[in-house]
Amino acid sequence: AVGDTLGVAQAEANAARAALAMGQNQTAERALHRGRLALTTALTTGASTAAEATALGIHLAHSEVELAQLDPGARPAALLRAYSDLMEATRTAETAGDLRAASYALGSLGALYAEEGGRDKEAIFLTRRALQNAERAQAADLLARWNAQAGQLAWRNGQADQALEAYRRAVRLLAQTRPEAGAARGNADVAFRQ
Protein backbone atom coordinates (compact mmCIF):
# COMPACT_ATOMS: atom_id res chain seq x y z
CA ALA A 1 0.00 0.00 0.00
CA VAL A 2 1.09 3.56 -0.68
CA GLY A 3 0.90 4.45 3.03
CA ASP A 4 3.58 1.85 3.79
CA THR A 5 6.15 3.09 1.29
CA LEU A 6 8.14 5.06 3.85
CA GLY A 7 8.36 1.98 6.07
CA VAL A 8 9.43 -0.09 3.07
CA ALA A 9 12.10 2.48 2.21
CA GLN A 10 13.40 2.46 5.80
CA ALA A 11 13.40 -1.34 5.94
CA GLU A 12 15.30 -1.59 2.65
CA ALA A 13 17.85 1.01 3.81
CA ASN A 14 18.38 -0.96 7.03
CA ALA A 15 18.61 -4.22 5.10
CA ALA A 16 21.30 -2.66 2.93
CA ARG A 17 23.32 -1.66 5.99
CA ALA A 18 23.01 -5.18 7.40
CA ALA A 19 24.07 -6.70 4.07
CA LEU A 20 27.10 -4.40 3.93
CA ALA A 21 28.06 -5.46 7.46
CA MET A 22 27.93 -9.09 6.35
CA GLY A 23 29.95 -8.44 3.18
CA GLN A 24 26.99 -9.05 0.87
CA ASN A 25 27.61 -6.09 -1.41
CA GLN A 26 25.29 -7.11 -4.27
CA THR A 27 22.45 -7.73 -1.84
CA ALA A 28 23.11 -4.30 -0.35
CA GLU A 29 23.11 -2.68 -3.77
CA ARG A 30 19.72 -4.22 -4.62
CA ALA A 31 18.26 -3.18 -1.24
CA LEU A 32 19.51 0.38 -1.75
CA HIS A 33 17.84 0.47 -5.16
CA ARG A 34 14.52 -0.78 -3.73
CA GLY A 35 14.80 1.67 -0.83
CA ARG A 36 15.40 4.57 -3.17
CA LEU A 37 12.36 3.62 -5.29
CA ALA A 38 10.16 3.33 -2.21
CA LEU A 39 11.43 6.67 -0.90
CA THR A 40 10.61 8.38 -4.19
CA THR A 41 7.10 6.92 -4.07
CA ALA A 42 6.67 7.92 -0.42
CA LEU A 43 7.72 11.49 -1.16
CA THR A 44 5.61 11.92 -4.30
CA THR A 45 2.49 10.44 -2.69
CA GLY A 46 2.78 12.41 0.53
CA ALA A 47 3.52 9.32 2.63
CA SER A 48 6.73 10.97 3.84
CA THR A 49 7.52 14.36 5.30
CA ALA A 50 10.42 16.33 3.92
CA ALA A 51 12.38 15.72 7.12
CA GLU A 52 11.86 11.95 6.89
CA ALA A 53 12.78 11.90 3.20
CA THR A 54 15.88 13.99 3.80
CA ALA A 55 17.10 11.81 6.66
CA LEU A 56 16.52 8.63 4.70
CA GLY A 57 18.17 10.06 1.57
CA ILE A 58 21.25 10.89 3.62
CA HIS A 59 21.17 7.37 5.12
CA LEU A 60 21.05 5.87 1.61
CA ALA A 61 23.95 8.07 0.51
CA HIS A 62 26.10 7.03 3.46
CA SER A 63 25.39 3.39 2.63
CA GLU A 64 26.41 3.99 -0.98
CA VAL A 65 29.68 5.54 0.20
CA GLU A 66 30.28 2.48 2.38
CA LEU A 67 29.55 0.24 -0.61
CA ALA A 68 32.04 2.25 -2.69
CA GLN A 69 34.71 1.72 -0.03
CA LEU A 70 34.06 -2.02 0.22
CA ASP A 71 33.69 -2.82 -3.48
CA PRO A 72 36.11 -1.12 -5.90
CA GLY A 73 34.13 -2.45 -8.88
CA ALA A 74 30.97 -0.74 -7.64
CA ARG A 75 32.76 2.47 -6.60
CA PRO A 76 32.01 4.80 -9.54
CA ALA A 77 28.31 3.96 -9.71
CA ALA A 78 27.90 3.93 -5.92
CA LEU A 79 29.49 7.37 -5.57
CA LEU A 80 27.24 8.76 -8.31
CA ARG A 81 24.20 7.38 -6.49
CA ALA A 82 25.45 8.87 -3.20
CA TYR A 83 25.85 12.23 -4.94
CA SER A 84 22.31 12.00 -6.36
CA ASP A 85 20.87 11.00 -2.99
CA LEU A 86 22.56 13.94 -1.25
CA MET A 87 21.52 16.41 -3.94
CA GLU A 88 17.91 15.22 -3.67
CA ALA A 89 18.08 15.39 0.14
CA THR A 90 19.40 18.96 -0.13
CA ARG A 91 16.62 19.99 -2.53
CA THR A 92 13.94 18.37 -0.37
CA ALA A 93 15.23 20.02 2.81
CA GLU A 94 15.65 23.44 1.22
CA THR A 95 12.19 23.30 -0.37
CA ALA A 96 10.70 22.46 3.03
CA GLY A 97 12.73 25.20 4.73
CA ASP A 98 14.44 22.66 7.00
CA LEU A 99 17.78 24.40 7.55
CA ARG A 100 19.16 21.72 9.86
CA ALA A 101 18.48 18.91 7.39
CA ALA A 102 19.83 21.02 4.52
CA SER A 103 22.97 21.65 6.53
CA TYR A 104 23.46 17.95 7.15
CA ALA A 105 22.90 17.06 3.49
CA LEU A 106 25.25 19.80 2.25
CA GLY A 107 27.94 18.93 4.77
CA SER A 108 27.69 15.26 3.83
CA LEU A 109 28.01 16.22 0.18
CA GLY A 110 31.05 18.32 1.08
CA ALA A 111 32.55 15.29 2.83
CA LEU A 112 31.90 13.19 -0.26
CA TYR A 113 33.79 15.69 -2.41
CA ALA A 114 36.56 15.89 0.20
CA GLU A 115 37.09 12.14 -0.03
CA GLU A 116 37.60 12.37 -3.77
CA GLY A 117 41.04 13.71 -4.56
CA GLY A 118 41.20 17.05 -6.32
CA ARG A 119 37.67 18.13 -5.36
CA ASP A 120 38.56 20.40 -2.44
CA LYS A 121 37.11 23.56 -4.02
CA GLU A 122 33.68 21.94 -4.22
CA ALA A 123 34.11 20.45 -0.75
CA ILE A 124 34.97 23.86 0.72
CA PHE A 125 32.03 25.54 -1.02
CA LEU A 126 29.56 22.91 0.20
CA THR A 127 31.00 22.92 3.72
CA ARG A 128 30.57 26.71 3.85
CA ARG A 129 26.95 26.36 2.73
CA ALA A 130 26.44 23.70 5.40
CA LEU A 131 27.93 26.07 8.00
CA GLN A 132 25.61 28.89 6.89
CA ASN A 133 22.53 26.68 7.22
CA ALA A 134 23.68 25.29 10.57
CA GLU A 135 24.19 28.83 11.85
CA ARG A 136 20.75 29.93 10.67
CA ALA A 137 19.26 26.79 12.27
CA GLN A 138 21.25 27.45 15.45
CA ALA A 139 22.50 23.85 15.31
CA ALA A 140 25.65 23.97 17.42
CA ASP A 141 26.39 20.28 16.91
CA LEU A 142 26.42 20.70 13.14
CA LEU A 143 28.42 23.93 13.42
CA ALA A 144 31.06 21.96 15.33
CA ARG A 145 31.02 19.14 12.77
CA TRP A 146 31.33 21.40 9.72
CA ASN A 147 33.96 23.61 11.38
CA ALA A 148 36.04 20.47 11.95
CA GLN A 149 35.52 19.51 8.30
CA ALA A 150 36.51 23.02 7.21
CA GLY A 151 39.61 22.69 9.37
CA GLN A 152 40.57 19.42 7.71
CA LEU A 153 40.15 20.94 4.28
CA ALA A 154 42.15 24.06 5.18
CA TRP A 155 44.94 21.95 6.68
CA ARG A 156 45.08 19.73 3.62
CA ASN A 157 45.41 22.84 1.45
CA GLY A 158 48.29 24.27 3.48
CA GLN A 159 46.22 26.91 5.29
CA ALA A 160 47.38 26.16 8.82
CA ASP A 161 46.06 29.36 10.45
CA GLN A 162 42.57 28.89 8.97
CA ALA A 163 42.62 25.21 9.91
CA LEU A 164 43.56 25.90 13.51
CA GLU A 165 40.90 28.58 13.86
CA ALA A 166 38.25 26.26 12.43
CA TYR A 167 39.34 23.49 14.82
CA ARG A 168 39.21 25.93 17.74
CA ARG A 169 35.66 26.95 16.82
CA ALA A 170 34.68 23.29 16.64
CA VAL A 171 36.16 22.56 20.08
CA ARG A 172 34.47 25.62 21.62
CA LEU A 173 31.12 24.58 20.17
CA LEU A 174 31.52 21.04 21.42
CA ALA A 175 32.41 22.30 24.87
CA GLN A 176 29.23 24.41 24.88
CA THR A 177 26.97 21.60 23.66
CA ARG A 178 28.46 18.81 25.74
CA PRO A 179 28.35 19.81 29.39
CA GLU A 180 29.19 16.28 30.44
CA ALA A 181 32.64 16.88 28.93
CA GLY A 182 33.25 19.31 31.80
CA ALA A 183 32.90 16.46 34.29
CA ALA A 184 35.82 14.67 32.68
CA ARG A 185 37.94 17.75 33.34
CA GLY A 186 36.90 17.90 36.99
CA ASN A 187 33.93 20.25 36.77
CA ALA A 188 31.92 18.86 39.71
CA ASP A 189 28.85 21.06 39.24
CA VAL A 190 27.82 19.25 36.05
CA ALA A 191 24.67 17.24 36.63
CA PHE A 192 24.46 13.56 35.83
CA ARG A 193 22.60 12.84 32.57
CA GLN A 194 20.63 9.70 31.88
Side-chain angles (χ1 to χ4, degrees), residues 1-37:
V2 171
D4 296 337
T5 53
L6 179 62
V8 169
Q10 291 168 329
E12 292 290 356
N14 291 335
R17 279 289 171 110
L20 287 169
M22 294 186 296
Q24 299 174 354
N25 298 343
Q26 290 179 339
T27 300
E29 197 168 351
R30 289 189 298 271
L32 288 166
H33 176 72
R34 290 189 304 267
R36 193 171 292 107
L37 291 175

PDB file of all heavy atoms in Angstrom, residues 1-37:
ATOM      1  N   ALA A   1       0.840  -1.183   0.000  1.00  0.00           N
ATOM      2  CA  ALA A   1       0.000   0.000   0.000  1.00  0.00           C
ATOM      3  C   ALA A   1       0.882   1.243   0.000  1.00  0.00           C
ATOM      4  O   ALA A   1       1.989   1.227   0.520  1.00  0.00           O
ATOM      5  CB  ALA A   1      -0.893  -0.002   1.222  1.00  0.00           C
ATOM      6  N   VAL A   2       0.353   2.318  -0.566  1.00  0.00           N
ATOM      7  CA  VAL A   2       1.094   3.562  -0.676  1.00  0.00           C
ATOM      8  C   VAL A   2       1.498   4.090   0.697  1.00  0.00           C
ATOM      9  O   VAL A   2       2.587   4.582   0.890  1.00  0.00           O
ATOM     10  CB  VAL A   2       0.270   4.623  -1.451  1.00  0.00           C
ATOM     11  CG1 VAL A   2       0.925   5.979  -1.379  1.00  0.00           C
ATOM     12  CG2 VAL A   2       0.099   4.200  -2.895  1.00  0.00           C
ATOM     13  N   GLY A   3       0.623   3.943   1.687  1.00  0.00           N
ATOM     14  CA  GLY A   3       0.904   4.445   3.028  1.00  0.00           C
ATOM     15  C   GLY A   3       2.096   3.762   3.689  1.00  0.00           C
ATOM     16  O   GLY A   3       2.660   4.277   4.640  1.00  0.00           O
ATOM     17  N   ASP A   4       2.471   2.600   3.201  1.00  0.00           N
ATOM     18  CA  ASP A   4       3.580   1.851   3.785  1.00  0.00           C
ATOM     19  C   ASP A   4       4.909   2.109   3.091  1.00  0.00           C
ATOM     20  O   ASP A   4       5.926   1.533   3.488  1.00  0.00           O
ATOM     21  CB  ASP A   4       3.287   0.348   3.718  1.00  0.00           C
ATOM     22  CG  ASP A   4       2.080  -0.053   4.537  1.00  0.00           C
ATOM     23  OD1 ASP A   4       1.728   0.686   5.470  1.00  0.00           O
ATOM     24  OD2 ASP A   4       1.497  -1.103   4.231  1.00  0.00           O
ATOM     25  N   THR A   5       4.930   2.943   2.083  1.00  0.00           N
ATOM     26  CA  THR A   5       6.154   3.090   1.288  1.00  0.00           C
ATOM     27  C   THR A   5       7.314   3.664   2.087  1.00  0.00           C
ATOM     28  O   THR A   5       8.461   3.278   1.857  1.00  0.00           O
ATOM     29  CB  THR A   5       5.910   3.953   0.026  1.00  0.00           C
ATOM     30  OG1 THR A   5       5.325   5.192   0.418  1.00  0.00           O
ATOM     31  CG2 THR A   5       5.023   3.234  -0.965  1.00  0.00           C
ATOM     32  N   LEU A   6       7.048   4.545   3.037  1.00  0.00           N
ATOM     33  CA  LEU A   6       8.142   5.059   3.852  1.00  0.00           C
ATOM     34  C   LEU A   6       8.732   3.941   4.706  1.00  0.00           C
ATOM     35  O   LEU A   6       9.955   3.804   4.805  1.00  0.00           O
ATOM     36  CB  LEU A   6       7.685   6.219   4.742  1.00  0.00           C
ATOM     37  CG  LEU A   6       8.781   6.791   5.654  1.00  0.00           C
ATOM     38  CD1 LEU A   6       9.926   7.359   4.831  1.00  0.00           C
ATOM     39  CD2 LEU A   6       8.202   7.837   6.578  1.00  0.00           C
ATOM     40  N   GLY A   7       7.879   3.128   5.297  1.00  0.00           N
ATOM     41  CA  GLY A   7       8.358   1.982   6.073  1.00  0.00           C
ATOM     42  C   GLY A   7       9.154   1.009   5.224  1.00  0.00           C
ATOM     43  O   GLY A   7      10.176   0.470   5.667  1.00  0.00           O
ATOM     44  N   VAL A   8       8.698   0.789   3.994  1.00  0.00           N
ATOM     45  CA  VAL A   8       9.427  -0.090   3.075  1.00  0.00           C
ATOM     46  C   VAL A   8      10.795   0.514   2.761  1.00  0.00           C
ATOM     47  O   VAL A   8      11.818  -0.188   2.785  1.00  0.00           O
ATOM     48  CB  VAL A   8       8.624  -0.312   1.769  1.00  0.00           C
ATOM     49  CG1 VAL A   8       9.474  -0.998   0.702  1.00  0.00           C
ATOM     50  CG2 VAL A   8       7.364  -1.121   2.058  1.00  0.00           C
ATOM     51  N   ALA A   9      10.828   1.814   2.512  1.00  0.00           N
ATOM     52  CA  ALA A   9      12.096   2.475   2.214  1.00  0.00           C
ATOM     53  C   ALA A   9      13.061   2.365   3.392  1.00  0.00           C
ATOM     54  O   ALA A   9      14.254   2.067   3.215  1.00  0.00           O
ATOM     55  CB  ALA A   9      11.848   3.943   1.860  1.00  0.00           C
ATOM     56  N   GLN A  10      12.550   2.574   4.602  1.00  0.00           N
ATOM     57  CA  GLN A  10      13.399   2.464   5.797  1.00  0.00           C
ATOM     58  C   GLN A  10      13.892   1.034   5.987  1.00  0.00           C
ATOM     59  O   GLN A  10      15.067   0.812   6.308  1.00  0.00           O
ATOM     60  CB  GLN A  10      12.623   2.938   7.032  1.00  0.00           C
ATOM     61  CG  GLN A  10      12.363   4.421   7.017  1.00  0.00           C
ATOM     62  CD  GLN A  10      11.364   4.869   8.079  1.00  0.00           C
ATOM     63  OE1 GLN A  10      10.456   4.138   8.453  1.00  0.00           O
ATOM     64  NE2 GLN A  10      11.534   6.095   8.554  1.00  0.00           N
ATOM     65  N   ALA A  11      13.010   0.067   5.788  1.00  0.00           N
ATOM     66  CA  ALA A  11      13.395  -1.335   5.937  1.00  0.00           C
ATOM     67  C   ALA A  11      14.467  -1.719   4.920  1.00  0.00           C
ATOM     68  O   ALA A  11      15.435  -2.419   5.254  1.00  0.00           O
ATOM     69  CB  ALA A  11      12.167  -2.233   5.796  1.00  0.00           C
ATOM     70  N   GLU A  12      14.314  -1.266   3.690  1.00  0.00           N
ATOM     71  CA  GLU A  12      15.302  -1.587   2.653  1.00  0.00           C
ATOM     72  C   GLU A  12      16.651  -0.920   2.959  1.00  0.00           C
ATOM     73  O   GLU A  12      17.710  -1.514   2.758  1.00  0.00           O
ATOM     74  CB  GLU A  12      14.802  -1.174   1.267  1.00  0.00           C
ATOM     75  CG  GLU A  12      13.626  -1.990   0.764  1.00  0.00           C
ATOM     76  CD  GLU A  12      13.968  -3.437   0.413  1.00  0.00           C
ATOM     77  OE1 GLU A  12      15.145  -3.849   0.478  1.00  0.00           O
ATOM     78  OE2 GLU A  12      13.021  -4.177   0.052  1.00  0.00           O
ATOM     79  N   ALA A  13      16.609   0.316   3.445  1.00  0.00           N
ATOM     80  CA  ALA A  13      17.851   1.007   3.814  1.00  0.00           C
ATOM     81  C   ALA A  13      18.563   0.269   4.942  1.00  0.00           C
ATOM     82  O   ALA A  13      19.791   0.099   4.914  1.00  0.00           O
ATOM     83  CB  ALA A  13      17.549   2.451   4.216  1.00  0.00           C
ATOM     84  N   ASN A  14      17.797  -0.195   5.919  1.00  0.00           N
ATOM     85  CA  ASN A  14      18.379  -0.957   7.027  1.00  0.00           C
ATOM     86  C   ASN A  14      18.893  -2.320   6.558  1.00  0.00           C
ATOM     87  O   ASN A  14      19.936  -2.783   7.018  1.00  0.00           O
ATOM     88  CB  ASN A  14      17.375  -1.111   8.162  1.00  0.00           C
ATOM     89  CG  ASN A  14      17.110   0.210   8.860  1.00  0.00           C
ATOM     90  OD1 ASN A  14      17.944   1.115   8.853  1.00  0.00           O
ATOM     91  ND2 ASN A  14      15.943   0.339   9.450  1.00  0.00           N
ATOM     92  N   ALA A  15      18.164  -2.937   5.653  1.00  0.00           N
ATOM     93  CA  ALA A  15      18.610  -4.220   5.098  1.00  0.00           C
ATOM     94  C   ALA A  15      19.925  -4.044   4.333  1.00  0.00           C
ATOM     95  O   ALA A  15      20.808  -4.907   4.401  1.00  0.00           O
ATOM     96  CB  ALA A  15      17.530  -4.803   4.178  1.00  0.00           C
ATOM     97  N   ALA A  16      20.057  -2.935   3.651  1.00  0.00           N
ATOM     98  CA  ALA A  16      21.299  -2.660   2.926  1.00  0.00           C
ATOM     99  C   ALA A  16      22.469  -2.523   3.895  1.00  0.00           C
ATOM    100  O   ALA A  16      23.546  -3.078   3.660  1.00  0.00           O
ATOM    101  CB  ALA A  16      21.154  -1.391   2.080  1.00  0.00           C
ATOM    102  N   ARG A  17      22.252  -1.807   4.987  1.00  0.00           N
ATOM    103  CA  ARG A  17      23.320  -1.659   5.993  1.00  0.00           C
ATOM    104  C   ARG A  17      23.719  -3.016   6.561  1.00  0.00           C
ATOM    105  O   ARG A  17      24.892  -3.307   6.749  1.00  0.00           O
ATOM    106  CB  ARG A  17      22.869  -0.732   7.119  1.00  0.00           C
ATOM    107  CG  ARG A  17      22.975   0.736   6.815  1.00  0.00           C
ATOM    108  CD  ARG A  17      24.451   1.156   6.770  1.00  0.00           C
ATOM    109  NE  ARG A  17      24.583   2.501   6.283  1.00  0.00           N
ATOM    110  CZ  ARG A  17      24.950   3.522   7.018  1.00  0.00           C
ATOM    111  NH1 ARG A  17      25.257   3.358   8.282  1.00  0.00           N
ATOM    112  NH2 ARG A  17      25.043   4.716   6.480  1.00  0.00           N
ATOM    113  N   ALA A  18      22.722  -3.845   6.858  1.00  0.00           N
ATOM    114  CA  ALA A  18      23.008  -5.185   7.395  1.00  0.00           C
ATOM    115  C   ALA A  18      23.779  -6.017   6.375  1.00  0.00           C
ATOM    116  O   ALA A  18      24.741  -6.714   6.734  1.00  0.00           O
ATOM    117  CB  ALA A  18      21.705  -5.874   7.788  1.00  0.00           C
ATOM    118  N   ALA A  19      23.371  -5.945   5.115  1.00  0.00           N
ATOM    119  CA  ALA A  19      24.066  -6.702   4.065  1.00  0.00           C
ATOM    120  C   ALA A  19      25.512  -6.224   3.923  1.00  0.00           C
ATOM    121  O   ALA A  19      26.423  -7.042   3.761  1.00  0.00           O
ATOM    122  CB  ALA A  19      23.315  -6.567   2.740  1.00  0.00           C
ATOM    123  N   LEU A  20      25.726  -4.926   4.006  1.00  0.00           N
ATOM    124  CA  LEU A  20      27.097  -4.402   3.934  1.00  0.00           C
ATOM    125  C   LEU A  20      27.930  -4.928   5.098  1.00  0.00           C
ATOM    126  O   LEU A  20      29.094  -5.301   4.921  1.00  0.00           O
ATOM    127  CB  LEU A  20      27.084  -2.869   3.931  1.00  0.00           C
ATOM    128  CG  LEU A  20      26.610  -2.206   2.647  1.00  0.00           C
ATOM    129  CD1 LEU A  20      26.399  -0.717   2.860  1.00  0.00           C
ATOM    130  CD2 LEU A  20      27.603  -2.455   1.512  1.00  0.00           C
ATOM    131  N   ALA A  21      27.340  -4.967   6.280  1.00  0.00           N
ATOM    132  CA  ALA A  21      28.056  -5.455   7.464  1.00  0.00           C
ATOM    133  C   ALA A  21      28.432  -6.927   7.316  1.00  0.00           C
ATOM    134  O   ALA A  21      29.431  -7.368   7.887  1.00  0.00           O
ATOM    135  CB  ALA A  21      27.202  -5.240   8.713  1.00  0.00           C
ATOM    136  N   MET A  22      27.652  -7.668   6.548  1.00  0.00           N
ATOM    137  CA  MET A  22      27.931  -9.093   6.345  1.00  0.00           C
ATOM    138  C   MET A  22      28.743  -9.352   5.076  1.00  0.00           C
ATOM    139  O   MET A  22      28.947 -10.508   4.705  1.00  0.00           O
ATOM    140  CB  MET A  22      26.613  -9.872   6.296  1.00  0.00           C
ATOM    141  CG  MET A  22      25.883  -9.860   7.625  1.00  0.00           C
ATOM    142  SD  MET A  22      24.401 -10.908   7.642  1.00  0.00           S
ATOM    143  CE  MET A  22      23.367 -10.094   6.447  1.00  0.00           C
ATOM    144  N   GLY A  23      29.145  -8.275   4.393  1.00  0.00           N
ATOM    145  CA  GLY A  23      29.947  -8.441   3.181  1.00  0.00           C
ATOM    146  C   GLY A  23      29.151  -8.856   1.962  1.00  0.00           C
ATOM    147  O   GLY A  23      29.723  -9.332   0.984  1.00  0.00           O
ATOM    148  N   GLN A  24      27.852  -8.686   1.998  1.00  0.00           N
ATOM    149  CA  GLN A  24      26.989  -9.046   0.871  1.00  0.00           C
ATOM    150  C   GLN A  24      26.694  -7.792   0.043  1.00  0.00           C
ATOM    151  O   GLN A  24      25.599  -7.236   0.090  1.00  0.00           O
ATOM    152  CB  GLN A  24      25.713  -9.695   1.387  1.00  0.00           C
ATOM    153  CG  GLN A  24      25.976 -10.975   2.155  1.00  0.00           C
ATOM    154  CD  GLN A  24      24.729 -11.544   2.799  1.00  0.00           C
ATOM    155  OE1 GLN A  24      23.649 -10.945   2.781  1.00  0.00           O
ATOM    156  NE2 GLN A  24      24.860 -12.723   3.381  1.00  0.00           N
ATOM    157  N   ASN A  25      27.677  -7.365  -0.707  1.00  0.00           N
ATOM    158  CA  ASN A  25      27.606  -6.089  -1.411  1.00  0.00           C
ATOM    159  C   ASN A  25      26.512  -6.040  -2.474  1.00  0.00           C
ATOM    160  O   ASN A  25      25.832  -5.024  -2.613  1.00  0.00           O
ATOM    161  CB  ASN A  25      28.963  -5.761  -2.023  1.00  0.00           C
ATOM    162  CG  ASN A  25      30.040  -5.598  -0.979  1.00  0.00           C
ATOM    163  OD1 ASN A  25      29.746  -5.425   0.206  1.00  0.00           O
ATOM    164  ND2 ASN A  25      31.285  -5.664  -1.395  1.00  0.00           N
ATOM    165  N   GLN A  26      26.334  -7.120  -3.234  1.00  0.00           N
ATOM    166  CA  GLN A  26      25.294  -7.115  -4.273  1.00  0.00           C
ATOM    167  C   GLN A  26      23.901  -7.078  -3.651  1.00  0.00           C
ATOM    168  O   GLN A  26      23.012  -6.400  -4.163  1.00  0.00           O
ATOM    169  CB  GLN A  26      25.458  -8.319  -5.196  1.00  0.00           C
ATOM    170  CG  GLN A  26      26.699  -8.204  -6.073  1.00  0.00           C
ATOM    171  CD  GLN A  26      26.877  -9.405  -6.972  1.00  0.00           C
ATOM    172  OE1 GLN A  26      26.344 -10.477  -6.717  1.00  0.00           O
ATOM    173  NE2 GLN A  26      27.640  -9.220  -8.044  1.00  0.00           N
ATOM    174  N   THR A  27      23.730  -7.774  -2.554  1.00  0.00           N
ATOM    175  CA  THR A  27      22.450  -7.727  -1.843  1.00  0.00           C
ATOM    176  C   THR A  27      22.192  -6.311  -1.338  1.00  0.00           C
ATOM    177  O   THR A  27      21.071  -5.802  -1.436  1.00  0.00           O
ATOM    178  CB  THR A  27      22.459  -8.728  -0.665  1.00  0.00           C
ATOM    179  OG1 THR A  27      22.677 -10.038  -1.188  1.00  0.00           O
ATOM    180  CG2 THR A  27      21.152  -8.689   0.113  1.00  0.00           C
ATOM    181  N   ALA A  28      23.229  -5.678  -0.820  1.00  0.00           N
ATOM    182  CA  ALA A  28      23.109  -4.298  -0.348  1.00  0.00           C
ATOM    183  C   ALA A  28      22.736  -3.359  -1.482  1.00  0.00           C
ATOM    184  O   ALA A  28      21.862  -2.498  -1.329  1.00  0.00           O
ATOM    185  CB  ALA A  28      24.414  -3.851   0.296  1.00  0.00           C
ATOM    186  N   GLU A  29      23.380  -3.540  -2.614  1.00  0.00           N
ATOM    187  CA  GLU A  29      23.105  -2.679  -3.768  1.00  0.00           C
ATOM    188  C   GLU A  29      21.649  -2.798  -4.211  1.00  0.00           C
ATOM    189  O   GLU A  29      20.988  -1.795  -4.491  1.00  0.00           O
ATOM    190  CB  GLU A  29      24.053  -3.052  -4.914  1.00  0.00           C
ATOM    191  CG  GLU A  29      24.148  -2.013  -5.989  1.00  0.00           C
ATOM    192  CD  GLU A  29      25.288  -2.281  -6.951  1.00  0.00           C
ATOM    193  OE1 GLU A  29      26.117  -3.177  -6.716  1.00  0.00           O
ATOM    194  OE2 GLU A  29      25.350  -1.563  -7.968  1.00  0.00           O
ATOM    195  N   ARG A  30      21.125  -4.017  -4.239  1.00  0.00           N
ATOM    196  CA  ARG A  30      19.716  -4.223  -4.619  1.00  0.00           C
ATOM    197  C   ARG A  30      18.772  -3.602  -3.581  1.00  0.00           C
ATOM    198  O   ARG A  30      17.767  -2.983  -3.935  1.00  0.00           O
ATOM    199  CB  ARG A  30      19.427  -5.713  -4.815  1.00  0.00           C
ATOM    200  CG  ARG A  30      20.073  -6.290  -6.077  1.00  0.00           C
ATOM    201  CD  ARG A  30      19.587  -7.708  -6.374  1.00  0.00           C
ATOM    202  NE  ARG A  30      19.919  -8.653  -5.314  1.00  0.00           N
ATOM    203  CZ  ARG A  30      21.047  -9.352  -5.236  1.00  0.00           C
ATOM    204  NH1 ARG A  30      21.977  -9.211  -6.174  1.00  0.00           N
ATOM    205  NH2 ARG A  30      21.243 -10.211  -4.243  1.00  0.00           N
ATOM    206  N   ALA A  31      19.107  -3.757  -2.294  1.00  0.00           N
ATOM    207  CA  ALA A  31      18.261  -3.178  -1.236  1.00  0.00           C
ATOM    208  C   ALA A  31      18.277  -1.654  -1.313  1.00  0.00           C
ATOM    209  O   ALA A  31      17.232  -1.004  -1.120  1.00  0.00           O
ATOM    210  CB  ALA A  31      18.733  -3.657   0.136  1.00  0.00           C
ATOM    211  N   LEU A  32      19.435  -1.080  -1.596  1.00  0.00           N
ATOM    212  CA  LEU A  32      19.512   0.376  -1.746  1.00  0.00           C
ATOM    213  C   LEU A  32      18.643   0.847  -2.907  1.00  0.00           C
ATOM    214  O   LEU A  32      17.946   1.864  -2.796  1.00  0.00           O
ATOM    215  CB  LEU A  32      20.967   0.819  -1.947  1.00  0.00           C
ATOM    216  CG  LEU A  32      21.847   0.730  -0.705  1.00  0.00           C
ATOM    217  CD1 LEU A  32      23.322   0.848  -1.082  1.00  0.00           C
ATOM    218  CD2 LEU A  32      21.455   1.804   0.295  1.00  0.00           C
ATOM    219  N   HIS A  33      18.665   0.113  -3.998  1.00  0.00           N
ATOM    220  CA  HIS A  33      17.837   0.471  -5.159  1.00  0.00           C
ATOM    221  C   HIS A  33      16.352   0.422  -4.792  1.00  0.00           C
ATOM    222  O   HIS A  33      15.597   1.358  -5.084  1.00  0.00           O
ATOM    223  CB  HIS A  33      18.144  -0.474  -6.325  1.00  0.00           C
ATOM    224  CG  HIS A  33      17.277  -0.251  -7.516  1.00  0.00           C
ATOM    225  ND1 HIS A  33      17.407   0.858  -8.323  1.00  0.00           N
ATOM    226  CD2 HIS A  33      16.247  -0.973  -8.026  1.00  0.00           C
ATOM    227  CE1 HIS A  33      16.496   0.806  -9.287  1.00  0.00           C
ATOM    228  NE2 HIS A  33      15.783  -0.290  -9.125  1.00  0.00           N
ATOM    229  N   ARG A  34      15.939  -0.658  -4.132  1.00  0.00           N
ATOM    230  CA  ARG A  34      14.525  -0.777  -3.729  1.00  0.00           C
ATOM    231  C   ARG A  34      14.157   0.307  -2.717  1.00  0.00           C
ATOM    232  O   ARG A  34      13.059   0.879  -2.779  1.00  0.00           O
ATOM    233  CB  ARG A  34      14.253  -2.168  -3.147  1.00  0.00           C
ATOM    234  CG  ARG A  34      14.308  -3.283  -4.179  1.00  0.00           C
ATOM    235  CD  ARG A  34      13.829  -4.611  -3.600  1.00  0.00           C
ATOM    236  NE  ARG A  34      14.568  -5.021  -2.413  1.00  0.00           N
ATOM    237  CZ  ARG A  34      15.643  -5.809  -2.409  1.00  0.00           C
ATOM    238  NH1 ARG A  34      16.112  -6.286  -3.558  1.00  0.00           N
ATOM    239  NH2 ARG A  34      16.233  -6.150  -1.265  1.00  0.00           N
ATOM    240  N   GLY A  35      15.054   0.613  -1.811  1.00  0.00           N
ATOM    241  CA  GLY A  35      14.804   1.670  -0.827  1.00  0.00           C
ATOM    242  C   GLY A  35      14.635   3.022  -1.472  1.00  0.00           C
ATOM    243  O   GLY A  35      13.761   3.809  -1.097  1.00  0.00           O
ATOM    244  N   ARG A  36      15.474   3.299  -2.459  1.00  0.00           N
ATOM    245  CA  ARG A  36      15.397   4.574  -3.174  1.00  0.00           C
ATOM    246  C   ARG A  36      14.070   4.697  -3.937  1.00  0.00           C
ATOM    247  O   ARG A  36      13.444   5.756  -3.934  1.00  0.00           O
ATOM    248  CB  ARG A  36      16.596   4.676  -4.130  1.00  0.00           C
ATOM    249  CG  ARG A  36      16.822   6.034  -4.693  1.00  0.00           C
ATOM    250  CD  ARG A  36      18.150   6.104  -5.454  1.00  0.00           C
ATOM    251  NE  ARG A  36      19.274   5.985  -4.534  1.00  0.00           N
ATOM    252  CZ  ARG A  36      20.045   4.893  -4.420  1.00  0.00           C
ATOM    253  NH1 ARG A  36      19.831   3.834  -5.171  1.00  0.00           N
ATOM    254  NH2 ARG A  36      21.032   4.869  -3.546  1.00  0.00           N
ATOM    255  N   LEU A  37      13.648   3.608  -4.577  1.00  0.00           N
ATOM    256  CA  LEU A  37      12.360   3.624  -5.294  1.00  0.00           C
ATOM    257  C   LEU A  37      11.200   3.856  -4.331  1.00  0.00           C
ATOM    258  O   LEU A  37      10.294   4.647  -4.609  1.00  0.00           O
ATOM    259  CB  LEU A  37      12.156   2.320  -6.065  1.00  0.00           C
ATOM    260  CG  LEU A  37      13.067   2.078  -7.262  1.00  0.00           C
ATOM    261  CD1 LEU A  37      12.829   0.685  -7.844  1.00  0.00           C
ATOM    262  CD2 LEU A  37      12.871   3.152  -8.318  1.00  0.00           C
TER     263      LEU A  37
END
